[in-house]
Amino acid sequence: VKVREVDVMKHKLCLHGLEVKNQAQLLNLAKRLLPGSTVKVKIKEKYFNDNDMYKYRLTRFTPENIDGVRLYCAWGTLLVSDKLLAIADIIIEFEYHKAEAAEAVDSLLQKLLASKTKFVLEEPDFSQRLDQLRGCFDQKQLAAYDADSAMSLLYCHLPWQVYYVSKLWQEVLSRGPERSLLRQLRVKLRRLRSLLTLCKPLLPEQEAVHWQGVLKASTNRLGDVREYDVALQICSRLQRSREQAEAALPQLTALLTQLRGTAAAKALRGLRLNRLTLELARLLLWLYSVPAPERELTLAEFLSRRFGNWYDKLMELPEKYPDLHNMEQLHRIRIKLKRFRYALQSVPELAPEARLLRSLKYLQDMLGLLHDDYINTMMAEKLVAAHPKIKELRYEAALFSGWEQAKADAALEALPQQWEAFSSQLTEWKNKNL
Protein backbone atom coordinates (compact mmCIF):
# COMPACT_ATOMS: atom_id res chain seq x y z
CA VAL A 1 0.00 0.00 0.00
CA LYS A 2 1.39 3.36 -1.03
CA VAL A 3 1.66 5.81 1.87
CA ARG A 4 0.45 9.25 0.86
CA GLU A 5 3.11 11.89 1.37
CA VAL A 6 0.71 14.17 3.25
CA ASP A 7 0.09 11.41 5.83
CA VAL A 8 3.64 11.69 7.16
CA MET A 9 3.73 15.48 6.95
CA LYS A 10 3.89 17.74 9.90
CA HIS A 11 1.73 20.84 10.15
CA LYS A 12 2.61 24.10 11.83
CA LEU A 13 0.67 26.78 13.67
CA CYS A 14 2.40 30.12 14.07
CA LEU A 15 1.59 32.74 16.69
CA HIS A 16 3.12 36.11 15.87
CA GLY A 17 3.77 38.18 18.99
CA LEU A 18 2.82 41.86 19.01
CA GLU A 19 4.87 44.49 20.85
CA VAL A 20 7.35 41.86 22.05
CA LYS A 21 10.24 43.75 23.65
CA ASN A 22 12.90 41.04 23.59
CA GLN A 23 13.54 37.41 22.79
CA ALA A 24 13.50 36.40 26.45
CA GLN A 25 9.78 37.22 26.56
CA LEU A 26 9.09 34.36 24.12
CA LEU A 27 11.70 31.98 25.53
CA ASN A 28 10.34 32.31 29.07
CA LEU A 29 6.85 31.44 27.82
CA ALA A 30 8.19 28.31 26.13
CA LYS A 31 10.30 27.25 29.12
CA ARG A 32 7.34 27.54 31.51
CA LEU A 33 5.13 25.50 29.19
CA LEU A 34 7.65 22.80 28.35
CA PRO A 35 10.02 22.32 31.30
CA GLY A 36 12.70 19.70 30.76
CA SER A 37 12.63 20.00 26.98
CA THR A 38 15.68 19.43 24.80
CA VAL A 39 16.74 22.85 23.45
CA LYS A 40 18.64 23.54 20.22
CA VAL A 41 19.50 26.94 18.70
CA LYS A 42 20.43 27.82 15.11
CA ILE A 43 20.62 30.92 12.90
CA LYS A 44 18.55 31.04 9.70
CA GLU A 45 18.89 33.59 6.90
CA LYS A 46 17.86 33.90 3.26
CA TYR A 47 18.17 36.63 0.64
CA PHE A 48 15.72 37.38 -2.18
CA ASN A 49 15.52 39.75 -5.13
CA ASP A 50 15.29 43.52 -4.53
CA ASN A 51 17.26 43.23 -1.25
CA ASP A 52 14.42 41.42 0.52
CA MET A 53 15.64 39.01 3.19
CA TYR A 54 15.06 37.41 6.56
CA LYS A 55 17.40 36.54 9.38
CA TYR A 56 16.42 35.10 12.72
CA ARG A 57 17.50 32.93 15.63
CA LEU A 58 15.43 29.75 15.90
CA THR A 59 15.21 28.02 19.29
CA ARG A 60 13.71 24.54 19.16
CA PHE A 61 12.06 22.94 22.20
CA THR A 62 11.51 19.16 21.99
CA PRO A 63 9.39 18.01 24.94
CA GLU A 64 10.16 14.55 26.32
CA ASN A 65 6.58 13.61 27.20
CA ILE A 66 4.65 14.86 24.12
CA ASP A 67 5.20 12.63 21.12
CA GLY A 68 5.00 14.29 17.70
CA VAL A 69 5.10 17.92 18.95
CA ARG A 70 7.87 20.52 18.81
CA LEU A 71 7.81 24.21 19.69
CA TYR A 72 10.02 26.87 18.12
CA CYS A 73 10.76 30.46 19.12
CA ALA A 74 11.83 32.62 16.18
CA TRP A 75 13.37 36.03 16.83
CA GLY A 76 14.78 38.30 14.16
CA THR A 77 14.02 40.56 11.22
CA LEU A 78 12.27 40.34 7.88
CA LEU A 79 13.04 42.99 5.25
CA VAL A 80 10.46 43.38 2.49
CA SER A 81 10.14 46.31 0.07
CA ASP A 82 12.56 48.35 2.21
CA LYS A 83 10.39 47.84 5.31
CA LEU A 84 11.76 46.18 8.44
CA LEU A 85 9.32 43.81 10.12
CA ALA A 86 9.86 41.99 13.39
CA ILE A 87 9.98 38.22 13.60
CA ALA A 88 8.73 37.41 17.10
CA ASP A 89 6.98 34.10 16.66
CA ILE A 90 6.10 30.93 18.49
CA ILE A 91 5.64 28.05 16.04
CA ILE A 92 4.08 24.75 17.06
CA GLU A 93 4.86 21.78 14.82
CA PHE A 94 2.85 18.58 15.15
CA GLU A 95 1.98 15.33 13.39
CA TYR A 96 -1.66 15.82 12.52
CA HIS A 97 -2.63 12.13 12.40
CA LYS A 98 -1.81 11.66 16.10
CA ALA A 99 -4.85 12.50 18.24
CA GLU A 100 -2.73 12.99 21.36
CA ALA A 101 -0.55 15.47 19.47
CA ALA A 102 -3.59 17.56 18.47
CA GLU A 103 -4.81 17.56 22.09
CA ALA A 104 -1.37 18.67 23.28
CA VAL A 105 -1.30 21.48 20.71
CA ASP A 106 -4.72 22.71 21.84
CA SER A 107 -3.50 22.76 25.45
CA LEU A 108 -0.36 24.69 24.45
CA LEU A 109 -2.45 27.20 22.49
CA GLN A 110 -4.74 27.81 25.46
CA LYS A 111 -1.82 28.46 27.78
CA LEU A 112 0.10 30.66 25.34
CA LEU A 113 -2.97 32.76 24.57
CA ALA A 114 -3.82 33.13 28.25
CA SER A 115 -0.60 35.14 28.66
CA LYS A 116 -0.39 38.94 28.55
CA THR A 117 1.53 38.84 25.28
CA LYS A 118 -0.82 39.49 22.37
CA PHE A 119 -0.68 37.20 19.35
CA VAL A 120 -2.12 36.90 15.86
CA LEU A 121 -1.88 33.96 13.48
CA GLU A 122 0.75 34.14 10.75
CA GLU A 123 2.23 32.07 7.94
CA PRO A 124 4.93 29.86 9.57
CA ASP A 125 7.06 29.66 6.40
CA PHE A 126 9.00 32.94 6.25
CA SER A 127 9.66 32.69 2.51
CA GLN A 128 5.93 32.32 1.90
CA ARG A 129 5.17 35.12 4.35
CA LEU A 130 7.52 37.39 2.47
CA ASP A 131 5.82 36.45 -0.82
CA GLN A 132 2.43 37.31 0.69
CA LEU A 133 3.72 40.74 1.69
CA ARG A 134 5.15 41.25 -1.81
CA GLY A 135 1.88 40.21 -3.43
CA CYS A 136 3.33 37.19 -5.25
CA PHE A 137 2.13 34.40 -2.97
CA ASP A 138 1.73 31.06 -4.76
CA GLN A 139 -0.13 28.33 -2.90
CA LYS A 140 1.46 25.70 -5.13
CA GLN A 141 4.83 26.45 -3.52
CA LEU A 142 3.66 25.38 -0.07
CA ALA A 143 5.11 22.10 1.18
CA ALA A 144 1.64 20.65 1.79
CA TYR A 145 0.38 21.35 -1.75
CA ASP A 146 -0.46 18.19 -3.65
CA ALA A 147 -2.35 18.35 -6.95
CA ASP A 148 -3.28 14.68 -6.48
CA SER A 149 -5.13 15.44 -3.25
CA ALA A 150 -8.25 17.54 -2.70
CA MET A 151 -7.08 17.90 0.92
CA SER A 152 -4.70 20.59 -0.35
CA LEU A 153 -7.68 22.92 -0.06
CA LEU A 154 -7.60 22.46 3.72
CA TYR A 155 -3.83 22.70 4.05
CA CYS A 156 -3.01 25.43 1.52
CA HIS A 157 -6.06 27.44 0.43
CA LEU A 158 -7.89 27.96 3.72
CA PRO A 159 -5.05 28.88 6.15
CA TRP A 160 -3.98 32.16 4.56
CA GLN A 161 -7.63 33.30 4.59
CA VAL A 162 -7.56 32.63 8.34
CA TYR A 163 -4.34 34.67 8.68
CA TYR A 164 -6.00 37.66 7.02
CA VAL A 165 -8.99 37.48 9.37
CA SER A 166 -6.73 37.22 12.42
CA LYS A 167 -4.66 40.28 11.47
CA LEU A 168 -7.75 42.32 10.60
CA TRP A 169 -9.26 41.59 14.02
CA GLN A 170 -6.04 42.95 15.54
CA GLU A 171 -6.26 46.14 13.45
CA VAL A 172 -9.93 46.67 14.32
CA LEU A 173 -9.33 46.21 18.05
CA SER A 174 -6.26 48.46 18.08
CA ARG A 175 -7.41 51.23 15.70
CA GLY A 176 -11.12 51.20 16.42
CA PRO A 177 -14.14 50.41 14.23
CA GLU A 178 -13.09 52.36 11.15
CA ARG A 179 -15.46 51.89 8.22
CA SER A 180 -12.84 50.55 5.79
CA LEU A 181 -11.40 48.11 8.34
CA LEU A 182 -14.79 46.69 9.29
CA ARG A 183 -15.67 46.29 5.63
CA GLN A 184 -12.41 44.41 4.95
CA LEU A 185 -13.02 42.18 7.95
CA ARG A 186 -16.57 41.34 6.85
CA VAL A 187 -15.34 40.52 3.33
CA LYS A 188 -12.55 38.27 4.62
CA LEU A 189 -14.93 36.47 6.99
CA ARG A 190 -17.38 35.88 4.13
CA ARG A 191 -14.56 34.70 1.85
CA LEU A 192 -13.42 32.22 4.51
CA ARG A 193 -16.98 30.96 4.99
CA SER A 194 -17.39 30.56 1.21
CA LEU A 195 -14.21 28.51 0.98
CA LEU A 196 -15.39 26.32 3.87
CA THR A 197 -18.64 25.77 1.95
CA LEU A 198 -16.62 24.72 -1.09
CA CYS A 199 -14.70 22.20 1.06
CA LYS A 200 -17.84 20.80 2.71
CA PRO A 201 -17.58 17.24 1.24
CA LEU A 202 -14.08 16.91 2.75
CA LEU A 203 -15.23 17.85 6.26
CA PRO A 204 -17.09 16.05 9.06
CA GLU A 205 -20.59 17.51 8.84
CA GLN A 206 -21.24 18.28 12.50
CA GLU A 207 -17.94 20.10 13.03
CA ALA A 208 -18.31 21.94 9.70
CA VAL A 209 -21.73 23.25 10.73
CA HIS A 210 -20.26 24.37 14.07
CA TRP A 211 -17.43 26.35 12.46
CA GLN A 212 -19.72 27.91 9.87
CA GLY A 213 -21.89 29.05 12.78
CA VAL A 214 -18.89 30.53 14.62
CA LEU A 215 -17.78 32.50 11.56
CA LYS A 216 -21.33 33.58 10.73
CA ALA A 217 -21.77 34.93 14.26
CA SER A 218 -18.61 37.02 13.84
CA THR A 219 -19.92 38.38 10.53
CA ASN A 220 -23.40 39.09 11.87
CA ARG A 221 -22.16 41.08 14.86
CA LEU A 222 -20.76 43.61 12.36
CA GLY A 223 -23.96 43.72 10.28
CA ASP A 224 -25.70 46.65 11.97
CA VAL A 225 -22.56 48.79 11.71
CA ARG A 226 -22.37 48.06 8.00
CA GLU A 227 -25.98 49.20 7.44
CA TYR A 228 -25.33 52.52 9.19
CA ASP A 229 -22.11 52.96 7.19
CA VAL A 230 -24.04 52.53 3.93
CA ALA A 231 -26.67 55.04 5.04
CA LEU A 232 -24.02 57.58 6.07
CA GLN A 233 -22.28 57.16 2.71
CA ILE A 234 -25.52 58.12 0.98
CA CYS A 235 -25.82 61.18 3.21
CA SER A 236 -22.26 62.12 2.29
CA ARG A 237 -22.86 61.69 -1.45
CA LEU A 238 -26.03 63.74 -1.23
CA GLN A 239 -24.15 66.45 0.65
CA ARG A 240 -21.44 66.63 -2.02
CA SER A 241 -24.04 67.00 -4.73
CA ARG A 242 -25.65 70.06 -3.11
CA GLU A 243 -24.42 73.51 -3.95
CA GLN A 244 -24.93 75.03 -0.53
CA ALA A 245 -22.16 74.64 2.04
CA GLU A 246 -24.36 73.56 4.94
CA ALA A 247 -25.08 69.92 5.59
CA ALA A 248 -27.88 68.56 3.43
CA LEU A 249 -29.25 66.20 6.08
CA PRO A 250 -28.02 67.52 9.45
CA GLN A 251 -30.60 65.83 11.69
CA LEU A 252 -30.52 62.47 9.91
CA THR A 253 -26.72 62.43 9.71
CA ALA A 254 -26.44 63.18 13.43
CA LEU A 255 -28.86 60.40 14.35
CA LEU A 256 -27.18 57.86 12.07
CA THR A 257 -23.74 58.77 13.41
CA GLN A 258 -24.93 58.29 16.97
CA LEU A 259 -26.56 54.95 16.16
CA ARG A 260 -23.48 53.81 14.25
CA GLY A 261 -21.30 54.56 17.28
CA THR A 262 -23.62 52.60 19.57
CA ALA A 263 -23.72 49.64 17.16
CA ALA A 264 -19.92 49.62 16.78
CA ALA A 265 -19.40 49.68 20.54
CA LYS A 266 -21.85 46.80 20.94
CA ALA A 267 -20.19 44.79 18.15
CA LEU A 268 -16.72 45.04 19.72
CA ARG A 269 -17.79 44.85 23.36
CA GLY A 270 -16.07 42.07 25.28
CA LEU A 271 -13.79 41.05 22.41
CA ARG A 272 -10.19 40.16 23.30
CA LEU A 273 -7.56 39.59 20.64
CA ASN A 274 -6.08 36.43 22.15
CA ARG A 275 -9.53 34.84 22.48
CA LEU A 276 -10.18 35.51 18.80
CA THR A 277 -6.73 34.17 17.92
CA LEU A 278 -7.41 31.00 19.93
CA GLU A 279 -10.72 30.51 18.14
CA LEU A 280 -9.07 30.80 14.71
CA ALA A 281 -6.10 28.65 15.76
CA ARG A 282 -8.53 25.91 16.80
CA LEU A 283 -10.19 26.19 13.39
CA LEU A 284 -6.82 25.57 11.72
CA LEU A 285 -5.99 22.75 14.13
CA TRP A 286 -9.29 21.08 13.22
CA LEU A 287 -8.70 21.53 9.48
CA TYR A 288 -5.22 20.03 9.75
CA SER A 289 -6.57 17.08 11.76
CA VAL A 290 -9.44 16.12 9.42
CA PRO A 291 -8.77 12.59 8.10
CA ALA A 292 -8.59 12.13 4.34
CA PRO A 293 -11.52 10.24 2.78
CA GLU A 294 -10.99 6.60 1.81
CA ARG A 295 -11.58 7.33 -1.87
CA GLU A 296 -9.86 10.61 -2.46
CA LEU A 297 -10.26 12.79 -5.54
CA THR A 298 -7.51 14.81 -7.12
CA LEU A 299 -7.74 18.54 -6.56
CA ALA A 300 -8.85 19.11 -10.18
CA GLU A 301 -11.55 16.42 -9.96
CA PHE A 302 -12.90 17.80 -6.70
CA LEU A 303 -13.02 21.39 -7.97
CA SER A 304 -14.70 20.29 -11.18
CA ARG A 305 -17.43 18.44 -9.26
CA ARG A 306 -18.02 21.19 -6.72
CA PHE A 307 -18.14 24.08 -9.15
CA GLY A 308 -20.18 21.97 -11.57
CA ASN A 309 -22.79 21.49 -8.84
CA TRP A 310 -22.58 25.18 -8.00
CA TYR A 311 -23.14 26.08 -11.64
CA ASP A 312 -26.30 23.94 -11.76
CA LYS A 313 -27.69 25.63 -8.65
CA LEU A 314 -26.94 29.12 -9.96
CA MET A 315 -28.73 28.36 -13.21
CA GLU A 316 -31.82 27.34 -11.21
CA LEU A 317 -31.99 30.61 -9.25
CA PRO A 318 -34.34 32.53 -11.61
CA GLU A 319 -36.81 29.67 -11.44
CA LYS A 320 -36.42 29.23 -7.68
CA TYR A 321 -36.72 32.98 -6.98
CA PRO A 322 -38.84 34.38 -9.84
CA ASP A 323 -40.27 37.50 -8.15
CA LEU A 324 -37.96 40.41 -8.96
CA HIS A 325 -39.95 42.71 -6.69
CA ASN A 326 -39.47 40.47 -3.65
CA MET A 327 -36.45 41.92 -1.89
CA GLU A 328 -35.98 38.85 0.31
CA GLN A 329 -35.72 36.63 -2.77
CA LEU A 330 -33.30 39.02 -4.46
CA HIS A 331 -31.20 39.12 -1.30
CA ARG A 332 -30.93 35.31 -1.29
CA ILE A 333 -29.77 35.38 -4.91
CA ARG A 334 -27.18 38.04 -4.05
CA ILE A 335 -25.78 36.01 -1.15
CA LYS A 336 -25.44 32.90 -3.33
CA LEU A 337 -23.69 34.87 -6.08
CA LYS A 338 -21.35 36.48 -3.56
CA ARG A 339 -20.49 33.10 -2.02
CA PHE A 340 -19.76 31.66 -5.47
CA ARG A 341 -17.53 34.63 -6.43
CA TYR A 342 -15.54 34.51 -3.19
CA ALA A 343 -14.92 30.76 -3.57
CA LEU A 344 -13.98 31.11 -7.23
CA GLN A 345 -11.49 33.89 -6.51
CA SER A 346 -9.89 31.74 -3.80
CA VAL A 347 -9.04 28.88 -6.19
CA PRO A 348 -6.34 30.04 -8.64
CA GLU A 349 -6.29 26.61 -10.28
CA LEU A 350 -9.47 27.49 -12.19
CA ALA A 351 -8.28 30.96 -13.25
CA PRO A 352 -11.63 32.63 -14.00
CA GLU A 353 -11.55 35.20 -16.78
CA ALA A 354 -11.66 38.84 -15.72
CA ARG A 355 -14.72 39.31 -17.95
CA LEU A 356 -16.69 36.73 -15.96
CA LEU A 357 -15.66 38.22 -12.61
CA ARG A 358 -16.62 41.72 -13.76
CA SER A 359 -20.03 40.50 -14.89
CA LEU A 360 -20.54 38.61 -11.62
CA LYS A 361 -19.47 41.61 -9.52
CA TYR A 362 -21.71 43.97 -11.53
CA LEU A 363 -24.71 41.70 -11.04
CA GLN A 364 -23.93 41.38 -7.34
CA ASP A 365 -23.62 45.19 -7.03
CA MET A 366 -26.99 45.70 -8.75
CA LEU A 367 -28.64 43.34 -6.27
CA GLY A 368 -26.76 45.07 -3.43
CA LEU A 369 -28.09 48.46 -4.52
CA LEU A 370 -31.65 47.12 -4.47
CA HIS A 371 -31.16 45.56 -1.05
CA ASP A 372 -29.57 48.69 0.42
CA ASP A 373 -32.38 50.86 -0.98
CA TYR A 374 -34.92 48.54 0.67
CA ILE A 375 -33.10 48.56 4.03
CA ASN A 376 -32.46 52.32 3.96
CA THR A 377 -36.11 53.12 3.28
CA MET A 378 -37.20 51.05 6.28
CA MET A 379 -34.46 52.59 8.43
CA ALA A 380 -35.58 56.13 7.54
CA GLU A 381 -39.21 55.32 8.31
CA LYS A 382 -38.27 53.92 11.73
CA LEU A 383 -36.20 56.99 12.59
CA VAL A 384 -39.05 59.35 11.66
CA ALA A 385 -41.49 57.34 13.78
CA ALA A 386 -39.06 57.27 16.72
CA HIS A 387 -38.39 61.04 16.67
CA PRO A 388 -41.69 62.83 15.94
CA LYS A 389 -40.51 66.04 17.64
CA ILE A 390 -37.71 66.61 15.11
CA LYS A 391 -39.73 68.45 12.46
CA GLU A 392 -36.98 68.57 9.83
CA LEU A 393 -36.45 64.80 10.00
CA ARG A 394 -39.47 63.90 7.86
CA TYR A 395 -38.25 66.10 5.00
CA GLU A 396 -34.68 64.81 5.34
CA ALA A 397 -35.86 61.19 5.39
CA ALA A 398 -37.88 61.72 2.21
CA LEU A 399 -34.86 63.30 0.50
CA PHE A 400 -32.64 60.45 1.72
CA SER A 401 -35.04 57.69 0.59
CA GLY A 402 -35.56 59.21 -2.83
CA TRP A 403 -31.89 59.94 -3.50
CA GLU A 404 -30.97 56.53 -4.95
CA GLN A 405 -34.47 55.44 -5.90
CA ALA A 406 -33.81 56.21 -9.57
CA LYS A 407 -30.69 54.04 -9.49
CA ALA A 408 -32.62 51.22 -7.83
CA ASP A 409 -35.41 51.44 -10.41
CA ALA A 410 -32.88 51.35 -13.25
CA ALA A 411 -31.09 48.36 -11.68
CA LEU A 412 -34.36 46.47 -11.33
CA GLU A 413 -35.24 47.13 -14.96
CA ALA A 414 -31.80 46.04 -16.21
CA LEU A 415 -31.59 42.96 -13.98
CA PRO A 416 -33.06 40.35 -16.42
CA GLN A 417 -30.74 41.43 -19.24
CA GLN A 418 -27.70 41.44 -16.95
CA TRP A 419 -28.58 37.97 -15.67
CA GLU A 420 -28.74 36.67 -19.25
CA ALA A 421 -25.30 38.11 -20.00
CA PHE A 422 -23.84 36.60 -16.82
CA SER A 423 -25.46 33.20 -17.46
CA SER A 424 -23.98 33.10 -20.95
CA GLN A 425 -20.47 33.94 -19.71
CA LEU A 426 -20.73 31.47 -16.83
CA THR A 427 -21.80 28.66 -19.20
CA GLU A 428 -18.91 29.48 -21.51
CA TRP A 429 -16.49 29.37 -18.56
CA LYS A 430 -17.95 26.11 -17.29
CA ASN A 431 -17.66 24.38 -20.67
CA LYS A 432 -14.04 25.49 -20.93
CA ASN A 433 -12.86 24.72 -17.38
CA LEU A 434 -15.02 21.99 -15.80
Side-chain angles (χ1 to χ4, degrees):
V1 177
K2 183 180 178 181
V3 178
R4 296 169 63 255
E5 185 180 351
V6 75
D7 285 336
V8 295
M9 278 189 56
K10 294 179 179 179
H11 286 295
K12 294 179 180 179
L13 288 171
C14 176
L15 298 176
H16 174 67
L18 304 172
E19 301 174 2
V20 178
K21 296 179 180 178
N22 51 59
Q23 185 184 16
Q25 192 173 335
L26 299 180
L27 294 177
N28 289 335
L29 273 174
K31 289 175 183 177
R32 287 199 300 269
L33 287 178
L34 302 171
S37 296
T38 303
V39 181
K40 185 176 180 180
V41 181
K42 62 173 69 174
I43 301 295
K44 295 238 178 183
E45 60 182 307
K46 188 173 181 179
Y47 296 85
F48 302 84
N49 296 331
D50 302 322
N51 296 320
D52 292 344
M53 55 84 69
Y54 63 68
K55 184 174 182 179
Y56 60 93
R57 179 182 287 120
L58 189 68
T59 307
R60 185 183 73 190
F61 293 80
T62 305
E64 296 179 352
N65 57 345
I66 309 177
D67 188 31
V69 176
R70 284 179 176 176
L71 187 145
Y72 300 83
C73 290
W75 178 262
T77 301
L78 188 149
L79 177 66
V80 55
S81 302
D82 296 327
K83 292 182 180 179
L84 277 175
L85 301 174
I87 295 175
D89 299 351
I90 292 181
I91 301 167
I92 305 173
E93 179 185 75
F94 66 102
E95 297 177 23
Y96 85 92
H97 61 285
K98 293 186 176 181
E100 61 273 20
E103 292 176 6
V105 171
D106 186 79
S107 177
L108 287 173
L109 288 169
Q110 289 186 62
K111 292 172 182 176
L112 284 167
L113 293 168
S115 70
K116 293 182 179 180
T117 304
K118 294 180 180 179
F119 291 98
V120 294
L121 290 170
E122 253 297 7
E123 167 60 53
D125 185 311
F126 292 104
S127 295
Q128 294 295 330
R129 187 186 301 185
L130 193 144
D131 282 346
Q132 286 182 22
L133 292 167
R134 292 192 298 183
C136 57
F137 173 63
D138 184 0
Q139 292 159 338
K140 295 179 182 179
Q141 299 303 314
L142 292 169
Y145 189 89
D146 182 1
D148 292 329
S149 170
M151 299 297 281
S152 290
L153 287 166
L154 308 188
Y155 306 148
C156 303
H157 295 69
L158 275 160
W160 66 292
Q161 302 286 352
V162 176
Y163 304 148
Y164 279 136
V165 170
S166 179
K167 285 178 277 191
L168 277 170
W169 270 124
Q170 183 268 325
E171 288 196 58
V172 168
L173 293 181
S174 62
R175 289 167 49 183
E178 298 175 9
R179 183 177 65 84
S180 61
L181 279 180
L182 288 183
R183 181 183 180 280
Q184 289 180 58
L185 178 55
R186 279 173 54 84
V187 167
K188 293 301 182 185
L189 282 166
R190 289 188 181 279
R191 194 179 293 271
L192 177 56
R193 289 169 56 196
S194 298
L195 202 46
L196 268 180
T197 300
L198 174 68
C199 298
K200 189 176 179 181
L202 301 173
L203 304 170
E205 184 176 358
Q206 187 173 350
E207 291 94 327
V209 170
H210 164 74
W211 282 110
Q212 283 284 15
V214 169
L215 295 173
K216 185 177 182 180
S218 292
T219 311
N220 287 347
R221 72 185 300 150
L222 305 174
D224 287 346
V225 186
R226 187 261 177 193
E227 290 182 1
Y228 292 126
D229 280 337
V230 170
L232 284 166
Q233 272 189 300
I234 293 173
C235 291
S236 179
R237 285 200 293 268
L238 198 153
Q239 163 67 21
R240 288 195 298 269
S241 73
R242 313 271 290 186
E243 293 183 1
Q244 60 265 38
E246 68 269 13
L249 307 174
Q251 301 294 338
L252 184 59
T253 301
L255 282 173
L256 289 172
T257 301
Q258 181 183 355
L259 290 169
R260 196 268 184 194
T262 302
K266 180 181 178 182
L268 303 184
R269 187 178 300 135
L271 293 182
R272 297 292 181 269
L273 179 61
N274 278 8
R275 291 181 192 171
L276 294 165
T277 302
L278 177 60
E279 185 175 83
L280 292 170
R282 282 174 163 167
L283 169 59
L284 284 181
L285 181 60
W286 169 65
L287 290 172
Y288 292 152
S289 304
V290 169
E294 292 182 10
R295 298 183 61 185
E296 189 173 354
L297 300 174
T298 67
L299 182 56
E301 289 169 341
F302 181 84
L303 292 176
S304 180
R305 287 192 185 186
R306 288 297 287 156
F307 279 100
N309 290 337
W310 226 323
Y311 167 82
D312 293 338
K313 291 179 180 179
L314 289 179
M315 291 297 100
E316 294 170 358
L317 288 178
E319 185 176 341
K320 187 174 182 181
Y321 303 111
D323 187 357
L324 294 182
H325 294 277
N326 186 316
M327 289 300 124
E328 292 300 324
Q329 289 192 12
L330 291 182
H331 183 56
R332 292 192 186 100
I333 293 175
R334 173 175 170 252
I335 293 300
K336 294 180 185 300
L337 288 173
K338 185 183 292 188
R339 187 175 297 158
F340 174 77
R341 180 170 71 90
Y342 286 156
L344 188 59
Q345 289 178 313
S346 302
V347 184
E349 289 81 359
L350 291 179
E353 295 89 346
R355 189 167 63 99
L356 172 63
L357 290 177
R358 282 196 301 269
S359 178
L360 180 53
K361 180 67 165 61
Y362 183 56
L363 184 58
Q364 179 188 315
D365 287 345
M366 290 174 69
L367 291 166
L369 178 64
L370 290 167
H371 179 259
D372 289 342
D373 180 66
Y374 173 66
I375 295 296
N376 288 336
T377 298
M378 291 196 301
M379 183 189 298
E381 290 174 355
K382 289 181 180 178
L383 286 174
V384 169
H387 300 86
K389 294 183 179 180
I390 305 178
K391 297 179 180 180
E392 302 90 340
L393 192 57
R394 186 174 297 277
Y395 164 76
E396 292 183 13
L399 187 61
F400 170 83
S401 298
W403 178 244
E404 294 199 331
Q405 187 61 51
K407 291 182 183 178
D409 292 341
L412 191 59
E413 185 177 344
L415 196 56
Q417 183 178 355
Q418 182 59 31
W419 180 267
E420 287 298 322
F422 164 69
S423 299
S424 175
Q425 292 176 19
L426 185 62
T427 300
E428 182 182 330
W429 171 82
K430 182 247 186 185
N431 293 336
K432 191 184 300 183
N433 292 278
L434 303 184

